[in-house]
Amino acid sequence: MAKGLFVTLEGSEGVGKSTQLRLLHSALASLGHDVLTTREPGGSPGAEDLRQLLLFGKNPLSLRAEILTHFAARADHLDQMITPALAEGQIVICDRFTDSTMAYQGYGRAEGEPDVLDMISRLQSQLGRDPDVTFLLEAPRDVARLRLAARGAPVDRYEQSDEAFHARVSAGFREIARQNTGRIRRLQTDAHSAEEINSLIVKDILSHIAQA
Ligand code: TMP
């Protein structure tokens, strides 16, 4: 491949992104593709330090500082990991990217305030790299909550937020998908098995590679 493919997985917590990331890596690697799976916030050593601050920092940041910290982590992740991997022709699959900042900070925290959405769009344009294709995984909140409880991982700042916040985030993702129908594919993860969702995503990624 002359140039790589940048794929992102998006959605609220507990919709099955980590399972899909794992299944995608092994499905694409077994077809002979060079695949980098990564995540945000984080993905590079410096950005993982910022992840700790964002998710578990003792003191809450102001909204603008929180957005800029997500973008500082994202810039480091792009510069140190994603851009070099794409330049080598790899398929990069990233668990969350700027759509998460739009959904969580823009629609969740700022309740869709136009100036905040605009700030996030401008920061994204300055980064200079959009995903080629994004899969938005969705599941009803009660299904997602059961999955989260079963996972038993430490509860981060965003998971502690109230149900109204999570409802705004999910509605935000749906709105982002409506505005980006060319890039974003929506998948209901509770309606199919993880393997079925995985083959749909693999098929879609392979058709993108064939078109490139
Ligand atoms: P996760 O990777 O385990 O889903 O946790 C990351 C958390 O960070 C999740 O609650 C979503 C949140 N987040 C934001 O609020 N804004 C962002 O830009 C990103 C990438 C994640």
Side-chain angles (χ1 to χ4, degrees):
M1 254 193 305
K3 78 180 174 62
L5 188 76
F6 184 23
V7 180
T8 57
L9 301 185
E10 292 283 2
S12 301
E13 293 96 337
V15 294
K17 284 186 293 91
S18 319
T19 307
Q20 286 307 323
L21 199 72
R22 196 168 30 78
L23 292 175
L24 275 176
H25 189 113
S26 58
L28 292 167
S30 72
L31 291 171
H33 293 284
D34 203 357
V35 188
L36 172 72
T37 50
T38 184
R39 69 168 180 184
E40 292 209 344
S44 62
E48 286 291 329
D49 287 347
L50 292 172
R51 177 185 176 95
Q52 274 305 112
L53 175 73
L54 283 161
L55 301 191
F56 303 107
K58 201 161 53 133
N59 300 303
L61 293 170
S62 77
L63 177 59
R64 285 203 306 172
E66 183 178 325
I67 291 169
L68 290 168
T69 308
H70 274 291
F71 272 94
R74 184 161 299 136
D76 192 67
H77 186 205
L78 261 179
D79 294 347
Q80 310 237 37
M81 308 292 296
I82 298 176
T83 306
L86 291 172
E88 282 175 8
Q90 294 189 41
I91 303 175
V92 176
I93 305 175
C94 189
D95 181 349
R96 300 190 181 284
F97 199 66
T98 298
D99 293 326
S100 279
T101 316
M102 260 311 174
Y104 283 80
Q105 281 67 49
Y107 288 99
R109 237 189 119 175
E111 302 188 16
E113 164 66 42
D115 286 351
V116 174
L117 301 184
D118 188 51
M119 175 188 180
I120 297 167
S121 296
R122 284 164 189 264
L123 287 166
Q124 174 54 32
S125 331
Q126 285 176 10
L127 275 185
R129 189 56 160 103
D130 289 322
D132 297 305
V133 59
T134 297
F135 298 94
L136 172 59
L137 308 189
E138 296 175 290
R141 179 70 183 152
D142 52 340
V143 174
R145 283 170 66 141
L146 284 176
R147 284 207 188 117
L148 283 175
R151 194 171 75 181
V155 175
D156 65 44
R157 168 163 292 132
Y158 300 108
E159 286 169 22
Q160 283 169 26
S161 303
D162 61 22
E163 284 306 311
F165 173 84
H166 289 289
R168 288 198 299 278
V169 169
S170 301
F173 273 125
R174 289 194 292 275
E175 178 56 30
I176 296 164
R178 265 194 292 276
Q179 293 173 11
N180 294 276
T181 46
R183 171 175 63 87
I184 302 182
R185 316 261 182 284
R186 291 175 65 178
L187 294 164
Q188 291 296 325
T189 56
D190 60 313
H192 304 276
S193 70
E195 288 70 22
E196 283 167 343
I197 299 282
N198 182 246
S199 22
L200 287 173
I201 299 180
V202 170
K203 229 167 109 184
D204 211 319
I205 291 177
L206 294 179
S207 82
H208 267 83
I209 294 171
Q211 283 162 26

